[in-house]
Amino acid sequence: MSVEIVARKSKKSLPIHLVRPGGVEDAGLPPAALAWAKAAGFAGEAGRTLLLPDGNGALAGALFGQGEGALSLGALARGLPEGDWHFAARPAEPELAALALVLGGYVFTRYGKKPGRALRLALPEGADAARVERLAAGTVLARDLVNTPTSDMGPEALEKAVRGLARAHKATVSVVKGDDLLKKNFPMIHAVGRASAEAPRLIDLTWGPKGAPKVTLVGKGVCFDTGGLDIKPASGMLLMKKDMGGAANVLGLASTIMAAGLKVRLRVLVPAVENSISANAFRPGDVLTSRKGVTVEIGNTDAEGRLVLGDALALADEESPELLVDMATLTGAARVALGPDLVPFYTDDDGLAGDLATASLAVEDPLWRMPLWKPYEAKLASKVADMNNVTSDAFAGSVTAALFLKRFVGKAKSWAHFDIFAWNPADRPHGLAGGEAQAIRALERVISSRFG
């Protein structure tokens, strides 16, 4: 089900007529198409595709019941036969419509799954082909990384993926690995990852001129999370290959930024670890001294993502970037609050929050601002250290995780934290069940408008 966007429709291209639910009579269909729709009982049901015959037993086009939003058109990628297609009339959101079909045709094929049909869609009038290509490539990168199991996507493989991205865009990569993390003062990254057979590491990608505005992205790269000594139940580990979804998403976002040639000095930091169990695993009750100097008591080894992010954020913050963004599959509490599709984000920059909210609606990338509620900082108190990595109750887990991270940011002019899921639990029009890119379209729009 691969979808290729082509510059113009060919002579053999067939039309796609978009129909709103109950709006067959008002869709401006040719008489023969309207008659066929009525005969087939097609009423524009959202997501339904009806193929149109010509008088000789061949295809003449297709009708599609459009649901809410342009991304609902992604279902077309799985409903159309192979061949050349174009929209009979310009979609309301031509760029998103084209992107929806490309994303809807995505299939993860690394382990033998066949891509299926090949569709070619003529670029709708008003759509920017290069932008569609950038956004699609960034999303596919994020999805592929998340979908790959840890047997093939441990810290070393994640580093190779970053190096591959860097080569494609002439960026540079440096890595601090293993015990060098202690020498270079990244003790929390080392502590979380030291029990794994693969050495923990901090991957540092840079791109763009040094004098340009600094935009830094930090992504949680926990390639698998057993929970550590506070081990998860078996059911809780089933999706833990996606615990590096934050890293996957910032790499997808970085891909779009570099492909667009934005005038920024981009930095991407990925603390890549596996939270494993061994004789040298870090323990509940341990006290870690972070890069920033803040001491952290370990209340639970399953709250490891915030620890590796803390060291990475501290490094990022040292050069006072214009914009600092971190993304992480951080808390189950975020899913309880907002579900798998709606991404909570945290920032104390009202201007940035407003821009993100506007962009979220414009590109159909669901986001919701959550509060950095200062009184909840007391829940992270420790009797032996500056703070604990967890609270003593089960309340406001996503908020307190964000407050924990905020302790490691002070110099950045603007900071935002995204507590993403990075996964579709069920098929959606623009994405099958599996790894997903979240918030990167909205962030790309904001970053492009600020630094384009």
Side-chain angles (χ1 to χ4, degrees), residues 133-200:
E133 183 179 349
R134 291 194 302 269
L135 291 172
T139 299
V140 167
L141 174 61
R143 287 176 174 179
D144 280 351
L145 291 172
V146 173
N147 282 328
T148 304
T150 310
S151 54
D152 292 315
M153 191 49 63
E156 184 175 342
L158 185 53
E159 178 188 331
K160 289 180 180 178
V162 177
R163 290 189 183 277
L165 180 64
R167 282 193 299 273
H169 296 282
K170 299 180 180 179
T172 61
V173 175
S174 62
V175 177
V176 182
K177 177 180 173 182
D179 289 343
D180 284 345
L181 288 165
L182 296 176
K183 297 175 184 177
K184 298 292 182 65
N185 193 22
F186 300 105
M188 294 201 296
I189 297 174
H190 182 271
V192 171
R194 70 192 183 205
S196 173
E198 289 193 21

